[in-house]
Structures are given as structure tokens and as C-alpha cells.
Amino acid sequence: MGLIGTHVQRREDPALLRGEGRYVANLTTSDTAYAVYVTSPHAHADIISIDVSAAQIDGVLGVYTAANVGIETYPPPFGGMNDEMVRPMFARDRVRYVGEPIVAVVAVSLEIAVDAAELIDIEYEWRPAVVDAEAARDAGFALFPGISDPLAYRTSVGTEPDFTTCEVVVTQRMVNQRVAAAPMETRSGMAWWEGTRLVHYSASQAVHENKALLAKLYGLAAHDVRVVTPDVGGSFGAKFRTYPEEALLGWFARDLGRPVTWTETRSASMTGLAHARGQIQTVTIGGRRDGTIEKYSNHVVQDAGAYPLVALLPRMTQIMLTGVYTIDDAAFVGESVVTNTTPVGALRGAGRPEAASAIERAVDMFAADCDLDPVEVRRKNFIPTDAFPYLSASGALYDSGNYAAALDAALDALGYEQIRADQRKRRAGGAVVQIGVGIATYVEVTASTPAADLASLELRHDGTVQVIASGTPHGQGHATVWAMLVADALGVTLDAVDVVTADTDLVEHGVATGGSRSGQIIGSLVHTAAHQLAEQARQLAADLLEAAIEDVVLDRDVGRFHVVGAPAHGLGWGELAAASATPLTTRAANSFEGNTFPFGTHIAVVSVDTETGDVALDRVIAVDDAGPVLNASIFDGQIHGGLAGGIAQALMEEIRFDDDGNPQTTNFADYKAISAAELPTFELIRSETPSPNNPLGVKGIGESGTIGITVAVQNAVVDAVRHLGVRHIDLPLTGERVWRAIHGRRLHQ
């Protein structure tokens, strides 16, 4: 049937487009209660007293604080971080960031809960805040009593190179600014009890991780917790795990004997949902004047926010330290530091865009100091195609790649020589509007989380096939792709395949949907289970046809088994299902044969008004290689979304705090989220270099779009004004920041 690789419309979309999506906030019962949180208005303060008496108005069912809730601390989601920096479920004695929950009000309506929350009186004693990670590290800022070291996590690899032997050395401090995931749907959850069993609906990307968390918090056996994720309005890594505000819903529901729901406001989401990026990088690159890169180092200070949520993000930056280049002498140091800001977590790419930004920006600066074309320097230092599998200086084992081909394809589509000729003409004429070309050839790691996944198939009596698969899809199109894999393997129609996911009662175990892991791990399991089912059915068909199994074939074009040479007499899936005493079932689990490393080249062309600093993004060319494409529409859609997010970081998005830790970007009027108006038509080119690490040969594609484009845009803007003496401009590339760089002024925020 040849479905794989074609443009199959997502089966998830029609219901969403008709407004028939089922989100957590849509779930209501006649006795649903509504939770609202009172959060800290201070970045750092001691709590002197909490008076909730005025909140006991008609319709209020309960008011909760650390004093009357028996769950005290929130377990860290990952090991390896400073486990003494404990996050409380409710702030008890001290608050450490604006937006930290202190009190919950639960009422019969949302309106009553909001009104009651405004009547709660909390007295604080203000403390000085530190919002700059470098300053916190250098001052040994004591955010937690008894802990004088603000370091939440440290990682390193290699020994700092001796750059004195290099002919050309470039050192640059770079800011990879803090941004927000800003999903359309904010955090949302609903919980109730069925006897002694907790049922929790969550807008998340990890039902099984959340089940384990809730079981631990409530002291329950695993079978006494059910977690379900219905439709999700975006996550991008930020909803990887249920937050304290949502995890407490089960406590309120048990205490009140009724379901309790909570959906945060946009402003609350901007201060409570984990932020991302937030790295300060100091890179040094050195080599020969002919463009040969010999040495490289990157020292990262990661802002972890007030509590170590995903403080180990520098580890992901470390893994991709040297990018696509053969640099054997390289080193990395990453330090995550707590500050009086919203905790920092994962966002599309989670440490890998930061690594690409560092090395690709460094290569451009190195090329400039060598007076060489950045394309020439890249080609000279690429890992050659015959070097795979390739072990990098950071210990990453790259599976496969063809970096030169990706670069060449992008340059051919661009018309590189003509663009450079136009640029020289504008410079010579002193044009007000200059153009710049930015290039980034990237590689990233996917499927970096452990494999504990499964896929099971059942041929039902009506001839349809049910797929039960792990993972928690939140926009990736799993129901479509898994159905395509089954339909392609069995020769049935897409409509004959039902896909079940994201319900811990129906799916035995699994790992979160994140890190661009699903296609290569779960997809491979679905593929394997489908072929196992075809083989089972072939044996049954052989018995019914009274033939040797080796003489029976499956004609996938029509979905029928027949004896070789006798296609007129065969059996379809419905007939086999009816003839089987019990449903045919197969199961595949825990398949993982190594990480994969998608790669590509992103090119941005910009126009920069040298009088105003205004940046216009004129063209985006993206060559992305994630192995064989399973669904062309979904592949392109993932690239579109990733490119948009990466461009947004490059040009406009930035979470800002004042010196006292007060957030300055708490809504979409202050935080500049990107729209289609700021984006050109993306020029996409697909490349397919299979991975040897899974049966499908595929690599992850969900985050690739974000990896290279941010620094490609940054390189393009600097390229446009480099002839004016500009060496580097930090993100985001706002008009003001670009103007100040052109006119030689330091930007003060």
C-alpha cells in the first residue's frame, strides 16, 4: 500500500477543528469544586503570618496551607541534583520566587474561589533577591538555610585546552536568554477518588511518570492510581511532570469528597510554568589561520531558578559540545545555580539548541578572524561520512550523518554566491538596509531517555486492529503514524486501526513523550508487533487453507492471505478474525538500541535597517535529516513548529525580571510571542540518512527545527552589520539591541 513517507492527514485534526477536542478544563460534574492558588508577590521573603479567616465566605469548601496539608515536599524529577534544595508543596516559612504557591482556596465555583483568595492576608518580611545566575554563583548566594553554595548541579568533560598553541583564538561570552514555553493551554488538572483509588486527569506529556509521582506522594500502590491525559493544547517540554499545584488536587478531593479541578490563568502560567534556556556561555575556539579548528571549550552558567527542577540541562549541552566538527581537544563545564526566579525546565530541544548556538556562533566568529568564508570553515572541519559511528570528544556516539550534503543542499537552494554578490554591492554603496546570511549546520541527540515502552496489537473479531502504545502524545500525531505503520504492515485500511494511548489503566507502562523519542522507539515497537501479528495470521491462514506456511503470502495491496500462485482463493483479516477461537495478539516492549543523531543545515537571510536596528527575516531554508520519513505532513509540521519557536527566541521572546525579582513579562502584551506575521514561507528540504539503531532507521524530528535556526538568524544579523565593526550581538535580536550594537553602545536592560 506504500503509506509510509506519504502525506497522510492527521486523524486527530478533524475533531479539534470542529471544536470537539476534549481537554481537562472541559471535564465537569455536578459536584465539581474549583481550586485557586494564592501565590507570592515577592521573589524572596519570609512568611510572618497567614490569615485565611476572611476567605471563609459562602461557597468556599476548604482553604489549604502547609499547616493543614500532609504532603510537605515535592520530589525532584531527576537524580543528580542537590537534593538538599527541597521544593515544598506549599511555601511554609519562606518564598523564593514570584508565583510560588502559599494558599489554595477550593469553592463551588471558580468565581467564588477567586473572590475568596483575594481576601487572604499574608504578612511578609522582605529579603534581597538575586536574579542573575553569575552573580548568585560568584556571591555564594544562600537561597536555602544551611546551604551556602548556590550550586544545584555541576557537570564537566575534558580538560581545558591550551589555546596558546593556536594561531587564531576567539573568546566570547554569550547569553542564551530565558524564554517561556507559552502553550495555548495552560497547566490544568482534575482529580477525584473512586473509593481508595485516585483518578487524575492531567494536561501533561507523561502519564506514567505522573502516576509514579502521585503514588509516592499519597502513599498508594501503583494499581490505586489512574492517570489519563486527554487532548493537550501544547507542552513543548514544560508539562513534562505534574507540578505541586496540580499534584495537590487529590488531597483536596479526598478531603472534600468531590472532584476538584484547577486551570491556571495566563499570567499565573507565565510565572508558574517552568521557564527554559537561561544559559550564560563563555566559549573559546582556536585553530590555524587556514580555518582548521583545533580546540574548543564552553563554560556554562545555567540559571536553575528557585528550585532545581531540571538543573541538569547543561548535561544535554555538554553531550552535543562539538556539534558536527572533528574537534578532539575540547572541554565543557556546566554549573546550574539557583536564583529567585521561576524554576527552569525543559523546552523543545532542552540543552541541544544551546549547544548548537554556542558552537555555530563560535565557528562564525573564528571564520571572521581567519578572514575566511564561514561555509569554507564548516566544510573543512565536518566529521566525514566514512567516520560513522563517530565518538565525539564529549563521549556521544553519533550513529550516522552526511553534514556536507545537508550544507550543499541548503546553499544550492539559497543561491549562495548571488546573495553574497548582492551583499557586497549594498556594502559598497553604503545602503541603509543591509542583508546578512546566517548558516548553522547542526546535530542533536534524540531518544536520550531510558526505554520502558510497549506496543501491543489485537486483531478483533470484526477484523479491525487495536493498538495499545505507550507514550503521552500532546500534538505529535501518534494515532496517525501508529495506524500508518500497522496498516502498511498488514494491508488494512487506516480506518480499521484504533490507537489507544495516555491512560495508565489501559497502557501497562511507558516513558514520557519528549526528547524526540517516539517514532524511533515506540514506532519501532508498533512496527515489530504489527509484523509479528502478520506472521501469526499467516500461520492461521496456512492452517485454514491447508497449506504449508512457507507457501502462504500476504498481499498487502488488498489485505488478503493466499497460497503462492493462487490469489483468487484467499482469506482476509475479517475472515481470519472470525475463524480464530481467541483474538490474535502480539506485544513488543523495551526496544532500545542506542541514541540517534538527527542533523541538518538551517540558513537565514535577513535585512537589517542600520538606522533603526530593525530586523526583517527574508528567507529560511531548512534541510533536516531524521532518517526515513514516516508521515511527510507530520514531518514538515514538526519542522514548521520548531523553526517558528527558534526564530521567536532569536528575534523577540525573552522572560525578564527587575533587580528585585519582579517578573516584567507576565502576559502576551509584555511577552512577545511570535505569529505568522513575523515569519516568511519556510523552504523545506528533506534528506534521509537511516540510523542503524532501530528497525525503521528513523531518528527524532520533534525538536530539530529549534536546534539550528536560532543561531542561524543570530549569525545572519551579525553578518549583516559585521562590516560596521559589530562582532557579536546577544539574543534576542530586538531593534534596540541591534541599534545599540551598531552604534557602539552597551545595552542596559
Side-chain angles (χ1 to χ4, degrees):
M1 296 177 69
L3 283 174
I4 301 304
T6 63
H7 288 275
V8 173
Q9 182 182 0
R10 285 174 23 122
R11 54 167 47 184
E12 296 91 340
D13 290 345
L16 299 177
L17 293 171
R18 290 193 298 264
E20 297 170 358
R22 186 168 179 254
Y23 298 88
V24 173
N26 300 136
L27 305 176
T28 58
T29 62
S30 59
D31 60 345
T32 297
Y34 297 81
V36 168
Y37 282 90
V38 178
T39 62
S40 172
H42 301 292
H44 199 197
D46 290 331
I47 300 174
I48 305 303
S49 64
I50 303 173
D51 185 355
V52 302
S53 58
Q56 305 290 351
I57 61 177
D58 288 345
V60 170
L61 302 172
V63 180
Y64 301 92
T65 69
N68 63 349
V69 169
I71 306 175
E72 295 186 1
T73 59
Y74 180 74
F78 300 101
M81 301 181 291
N82 189 332
D83 56 12
E84 294 182 357
M85 296 178 176
V86 177
R87 177 172 184 171
M89 301 295 285
F90 279 117
R92 179 186 295 270
D93 302 314
R94 184 179 296 184
V95 291
R96 294 180 173 87
Y97 69 96
V98 173
E100 184 169 5
I102 305 170
V103 183
V105 177
V106 183
V108 297
S109 73
L110 179 60
E111 294 77 12
I112 292 174
V114 169
D115 289 345
E118 293 176 351
L119 300 175
I120 291 172
D121 182 35
I122 304 175
E123 182 182 355
Y124 303 91
E125 183 175 326
W126 181 84
R127 285 178 168 268
V130 174
V131 298
D132 180 88
E134 285 180 316
R137 180 199 60 181
D138 295 343
F141 179 55
L143 187 55
F144 294 84
I147 305 175
S148 59
D149 187 351
L151 200 63
Y153 176 78
R154 189 181 192 277
T155 183
S156 65
V157 68
T159 302
E160 186 68 13
D162 178 9
F163 289 97
T164 62
T165 63
C166 299
E167 295 176 350
V168 177
V169 179
V170 177
T171 297
Q172 180 65 52
R173 177 184 181 273
M174 305 177 186
V175 176
N176 204 283
Q177 83 275 27
R178 178 187 284 240
V179 296
M184 293 178 68
E185 180 192 29
T186 59
R187 292 180 294 175
S188 187
M190 184 174 182
W192 65 88
W193 293 81
E194 296 176 351
T196 59
R197 193 164 193 259
L198 174 62
V199 179
H200 190 106
Y201 274 68
S202 177
S204 79
Q205 57 187 89
V207 290
H208 289 96
E209 282 81 353
N210 287 328
K211 175 179 177 174
L213 169 66
L214 294 171
K216 182 175 183 178
L217 289 174
Y218 290 92
L220 299 172
H223 60 78
D224 281 331
V225 180
R226 179 188 185 191
V227 177
V228 181
T229 288
D231 292 320
V232 179
S235 175
F236 315 111
K239 298 176 184 173
F240 179 83
R241 194 188 198 208
T242 294
Y243 290 71
E245 297 95 319
E246 186 183 342
L248 285 166
L249 298 179
W251 183 277
F252 309 152
R254 184 168 58 185
D255 184 56
L256 299 174
R258 60 200 299 172
V260 177
T261 188
W262 168 73
T263 300
E264 66 181 350
T265 64
R266 177 59 59 189
S267 292
S269 182
M270 295 298 285
T271 58
L273 184 67
H275 296 160
R277 309 294 187 242
Q279 283 190 5
I280 300 168
Q281 307 164 334
T282 301
V283 301
T284 303
I285 188 169
R288 298 200 293 270
R289 198 163 294 281
D290 67 357
T292 302
I293 302 170
E294 297 174 311
K295 305 172 189 293
Y296 176 69
S297 72
N298 186 1
H299 292 202
V300 165
V301 178
Q302 172 76 59
D303 187 349
Y307 299 101
L309 180 65
V310 192
L312 43 69
L313 284 169
R315 171 67 180 166
M316 300 303 295
T317 306
Q318 173 182 302
I319 290 171
M320 303 314 303
L321 175 65
T322 53
V324 295
Y325 306 108
T326 53
I327 310 173
D328 295 328
D329 193 358
F332 180 92
V333 176
E335 297 176 308
S336 291
V337 180
V338 290
T339 60
N340 290 117
T341 59
T342 303
V344 170
L347 174 65
R348 206 167 192 166
R352 288 104 76 200
E354 296 91 317
S357 287
I359 185 66
E360 289 301 295
R361 188 75 203 95
V363 168
D364 256 37
M365 298 181 75
F366 178 74
D369 277 21
C370 293
D371 197 24
L372 296 172
D373 189 306
V375 169
E376 179 184 347
V377 172
R378 284 178 169 82
R379 282 203 180 107
K380 191 178 189 69
N381 294 281
F382 279 153
I383 300 165
T385 55
D386 61 0
F388 295 96
Y390 176 81
L391 184 65
S392 75
S394 63
L397 186 62
Y398 296 4
D399 56 343
S400 62
N402 192 339
Y403 307 139
L407 177 61
D408 290 343
L411 293 173
D412 289 347
L414 173 68
Y416 185 65
E417 296 304 327
Q418 183 59 54
I419 287 284
R420 286 300 187 195
D422 292 346
Q423 184 185 60
R424 289 190 292 269
K425 182 177 179 180
R426 291 199 187 203
R427 288 179 176 178
V432 170
V433 177
Q434 294 288 329
I435 60 173
V437 180
I439 299 165
T441 296
Y442 75 88
V443 61
E444 66 146 333
V445 59
T446 61
S448 56
T449 48
D453 289 286
L454 67 85
S456 63
L457 271 63
E458 178 181 317
L459 176 64
R460 297 182 293 202
H461 286 298
D462 60 358
T464 62
V465 179
Q466 182 184 67
V467 181
I468 296 177
S470 58
T472 308
H474 46 283
Q476 288 79 7
H478 288 187
T480 301
V481 179
W482 302 168
M484 289 175 64
L485 289 167
V486 172
D488 201 70
L490 304 185
V492 300
T493 65
L494 286 171
D495 290 340
V497 183
D498 293 328
V499 177
V500 175
T501 61
D503 184 335
T504 61
D505 269 12
L506 302 177
V507 185
E508 182 181 335
H509 60 79
V511 176
T513 293
S516 302
R517 67 189 305 280
S518 298
Q520 57 206 295
I521 295 180
I522 304 173
S524 291
L525 293 175
V526 171
H527 167 84
T528 298
H531 282 274
Q532 291 173 349
L533 185 66
E535 194 60 24
Q536 279 192 27
R538 183 166 167 251
Q539 178 64 67
L540 177 60
D543 294 342
L544 295 173
L545 294 170
E546 299 181 345
I549 187 171
E550 58 268 21
D551 294 332
V552 175
V553 296
L554 169 61
D555 184 347
R556 290 184 172 84
D557 288 338
V558 295
R560 291 178 66 80
F561 291 87
H562 64 81
V563 176
V564 175
H569 181 55
L571 296 169
W573 286 99
E575 294 166 293
L576 290 174
S580 178
T582 59
L584 300 182
T585 62
T586 60
R587 175 188 171 95
N590 299 330
S591 174
F592 181 73
E593 300 176 35
N595 305 128
T596 63
F597 292 81
F599 65 92
T601 293
H602 293 167
I603 296 181
V605 180
V606 301
S607 297
V608 178
D609 188 318
T610 59
E611 292 183 347
T612 66
D614 182 64
V615 177
L617 182 59
D618 299 326
R619 291 182 69 185
V620 170
I621 296 169
V623 178
D624 294 283
D625 192 317
V629 173
L630 299 180
N631 181 304
S633 295
I634 290 176
F635 184 97
D636 290 351
Q638 290 280 26
I639 296 299
H640 274 252
L643 290 173
I647 292 166
Q649 182 185 1
L651 294 179
M652 61 183 65
E653 293 194 15
E654 182 179 28
I655 289 288
R656 291 180 285 109
F657 297 88
D658 68 14
D659 291 342
D660 292 323
N662 298 307
Q664 306 297 294
T665 45
T666 60
N667 54 55
F668 287 160
D670 300 321
Y671 186 83
K672 304 300 182 184
I674 204 161
S675 72
E678 290 83 35
L679 298 169
T681 298
F682 299 145
E683 302 169 51
L684 306 187
I685 300 170
R686 292 190 215 110
S687 175
E688 298 187 8
T689 304
S691 171
N693 290 349
N694 62 75
L696 295 172
V698 300
K699 308 180 182 185
I701 195 59
E703 295 160 295
S704 289
T706 65
I707 307 298
I709 192 59
T710 303
V711 68
V713 173
Q714 187 178 24
N715 283 341
V717 172
V718 175
D719 180 64
V721 296
R722 185 164 64 86
H723 66 294
L724 301 176
V726 176
R727 183 176 181 79
H728 177 75
I729 309 174
D730 276 326
L731 303 173
L733 302 160
T734 61
E736 179 185 4
R737 184 171 271 125
V738 174
W739 182 89
R740 288 185 182 274
I742 293 170
H743 293 274
R745 301 178 183 181
R746 186 176 179 181
L747 178 65
H748 295 283
Q749 295 179 323

PDB file of all heavy atoms in Angstrom, residues 60 426 476 619 720 725:
ATOM      1  N   VAL A  60     -17.270  28.601  49.794  1.00  0.00           N
ATOM      2  CA  VAL A  60     -15.909  28.094  49.982  1.00  0.00           C
ATOM      3  C   VAL A  60     -15.973  26.766  50.724  1.00  0.00           C
ATOM      4  O   VAL A  60     -16.586  26.664  51.784  1.00  0.00           O
ATOM      5  CB  VAL A  60     -15.033  29.106  50.748  1.00  0.00           C
ATOM      6  CG1 VAL A  60     -13.705  28.468  51.147  1.00  0.00           C
ATOM      7  CG2 VAL A  60     -14.781  30.338  49.886  1.00  0.00           C
ATOM      8  N   ARG A 426      25.614  46.120  -1.748  1.00  0.00           N
ATOM      9  CA  ARG A 426      24.986  47.012  -0.758  1.00  0.00           C
ATOM     10  C   ARG A 426      26.029  47.653   0.147  1.00  0.00           C
ATOM     11  O   ARG A 426      25.938  48.826   0.492  1.00  0.00           O
ATOM     12  CB  ARG A 426      23.966  46.243   0.082  1.00  0.00           C
ATOM     13  CG  ARG A 426      22.743  45.811  -0.684  1.00  0.00           C
ATOM     14  CD  ARG A 426      21.606  45.497   0.258  1.00  0.00           C
ATOM     15  NE  ARG A 426      20.467  44.912  -0.432  1.00  0.00           N
ATOM     16  CZ  ARG A 426      19.228  44.938   0.020  1.00  0.00           C
ATOM     17  NH1 ARG A 426      18.980  45.511   1.194  1.00  0.00           N
ATOM     18  NH2 ARG A 426      18.259  44.378  -0.649  1.00  0.00           N
ATOM     19  N   GLN A 476       1.749  15.334  18.656  1.00  0.00           N
ATOM     20  CA  GLN A 476       2.717  14.732  17.736  1.00  0.00           C
ATOM     21  C   GLN A 476       2.081  13.915  16.614  1.00  0.00           C
ATOM     22  O   GLN A 476       2.743  13.614  15.633  1.00  0.00           O
ATOM     23  CB  GLN A 476       3.686  13.827  18.518  1.00  0.00           C
ATOM     24  CG  GLN A 476       4.681  14.552  19.385  1.00  0.00           C
ATOM     25  CD  GLN A 476       4.090  15.023  20.705  1.00  0.00           C
ATOM     26  OE1 GLN A 476       2.958  14.705  21.042  1.00  0.00           O
ATOM     27  NE2 GLN A 476       4.860  15.788  21.454  1.00  0.00           N
ATOM     28  N   ARG A 619      14.256  35.094   4.362  1.00  0.00           N
ATOM     29  CA  ARG A 619      14.172  33.712   3.890  1.00  0.00           C
ATOM     30  C   ARG A 619      14.643  32.766   4.985  1.00  0.00           C
ATOM     31  O   ARG A 619      15.537  33.105   5.775  1.00  0.00           O
ATOM     32  CB  ARG A 619      15.032  33.488   2.635  1.00  0.00           C
ATOM     33  CG  ARG A 619      14.540  34.182   1.394  1.00  0.00           C
ATOM     34  CD  ARG A 619      15.441  33.855   0.202  1.00  0.00           C
ATOM     35  NE  ARG A 619      15.334  32.462  -0.238  1.00  0.00           N
ATOM     36  CZ  ARG A 619      16.095  31.928  -1.203  1.00  0.00           C
ATOM     37  NH1 ARG A 619      17.021  32.670  -1.810  1.00  0.00           N
ATOM     38  NH2 ARG A 619      15.937  30.669  -1.556  1.00  0.00           N
ATOM     39  N   ALA A 720      25.111  40.797   8.743  1.00  0.00           N
ATOM     40  CA  ALA A 720      24.617  41.980   8.034  1.00  0.00           C
ATOM     41  C   ALA A 720      25.333  43.257   8.457  1.00  0.00           C
ATOM     42  O   ALA A 720      25.445  44.202   7.670  1.00  0.00           O
ATOM     43  CB  ALA A 720      23.110  42.126   8.259  1.00  0.00           C
ATOM     44  N   GLY A 725      31.759  46.913  12.112  1.00  0.00           N
ATOM     45  CA  GLY A 725      32.547  46.705  13.321  1.00  0.00           C
ATOM     46  C   GLY A 725      31.852  45.916  14.408  1.00  0.00           C
ATOM     47  O   GLY A 725      32.377  45.788  15.516  1.00  0.00           O
TER      48      GLY A 725
END
